[in-house]
Amino acid sequence: MVTSSELRARARESLRGQWGRAAGFTLVMLLIGALPNVLPAIGQIAIEICAGALALGAYSYFLLVSRGERPPFVELFSGFADFIRSFLVYLLVLIFTILWMLLFIIPGIVAALRYSMAYFILKDNPEIGALEAIRRSKAMMVGHKWRLFVLLLSFIGWILLCIPTFGIGTLWLNPYIYTAVAHFYEDLRLRGESLSGSFAAQDSPPPPPPNSF
């Protein structure tokens, strides 16, 4: 089982040589997110409509980083080529999470963790629908929600250190977190493929006995 410290180490290795690029990418994300402050009504509506596509683009960027690639900034807008599915994932996850939060805050947090892999899955599986991506995320996270929670919690010290920088430190912290979570997804994906291969091997019929003369 890969630990939080190992996932953070993998994230640092993936970001080696491109911390500046990742910080610039994060700056673009934050500037787009600040649009409602510039255009309060129109900006907020635009962000809500585009949130799914932008989220898919952001997850895609850091997933590629975790795989050793150097994606361009325009990867942030790649989700618009898959606008409908990304919007539906955003909308459904939002609805499901809010419904769980109506019960209590903890079920809401659990729901957010349960659906957290949906955008990664959407990126890797262009043939499936939004509900299927959410279903696969739910299945993938069985037994691993606490692991992801601990991973995210392990960044609390870095988050506190960003406070004196008036938020500037988040330009480097956000890529660190996103890339670590991308490695978390990769670990689960590869683990699932490995288990599927093992089960397939177990289910296959035994080879026929050699001919005897």
Side-chain angles (χ1 to χ4, degrees):
M1 192 73 71
V2 181
T3 65
S4 295
S5 60
E6 289 173 320
L7 290 169
R8 293 196 307 273
R10 291 181 184 183
R12 292 193 300 271
E13 182 61 30
S14 295
L15 287 163
R16 186 192 300 272
Q18 51 179 329
W19 281 101
R21 287 167 51 85
F25 181 85
T26 303
L27 179 60
V28 174
M29 289 174 55
L30 294 176
L31 290 175
I32 294 174
L35 188 60
N37 296 327
V38 180
L39 302 169
I42 299 175
Q44 185 62 47
I45 294 172
I47 286 295
E48 291 299 328
I49 293 174
C50 299
L54 291 171
L56 179 57
Y59 276 79
S60 174
Y61 181 92
F62 290 105
L63 182 60
L64 292 174
V65 169
S66 74
R67 292 173 176 173
E69 299 185 33
R70 294 174 63 88
F73 279 16
V74 291
E75 187 66 29
L76 177 60
F77 305 105
S78 63
F80 286 93
D82 204 351
F83 184 83
I84 299 299
R85 288 197 315 155
S86 60
F87 176 75
L88 287 175
V89 166
Y90 170 75
L91 182 63
L92 292 172
V93 167
L94 181 64
I95 291 172
F96 293 158
T97 304
I98 289 175
L99 289 175
W100 279 107
M101 289 190 73
L102 291 177
L103 298 177
F104 199 59
I105 185 67
I106 293 179
I109 294 173
V110 172
L113 294 170
R114 181 183 297 131
Y115 307 132
S116 59
M117 301 293 108
Y119 287 111
F120 290 130
I121 293 170
L122 207 64
K123 167 66 176 177
D124 276 343
N125 300 274
E127 76 283 357
I128 67 173
L131 271 175
E132 177 62 14
I134 293 172
R135 187 195 67 78
R136 291 190 187 186
S137 176
K138 181 179 177 180
M140 178 179 279
M141 291 299 291
V142 171
H144 299 286
K145 291 183 285 293
W146 177 250
R147 282 184 62 215
L148 179 57
F149 181 75
V150 170
L151 173 62
L152 296 174
L153 199 63
S154 70
F155 289 99
I156 190 69
W158 291 105
I159 294 171
L160 294 175
L161 286 174
C162 285
I163 295 176
T165 70
F166 301 100
I168 295 176
T170 59
L171 294 179
W172 289 268
L173 178 58
N174 280 3
Y176 190 14
I177 296 174
Y178 266 96
T179 308
V181 173
H183 276 291
F184 178 87
Y185 163 75
E186 285 288 82
D187 177 60
L188 293 186
R189 182 181 65 83
L190 294 174
R191 184 184 301 273
E193 290 179 357
S194 175
L195 289 175
S196 297
S198 298
F199 292 146
Q202 292 173 12
D203 292 339
S204 60
N211 293 329
S212 56
F213 299 96

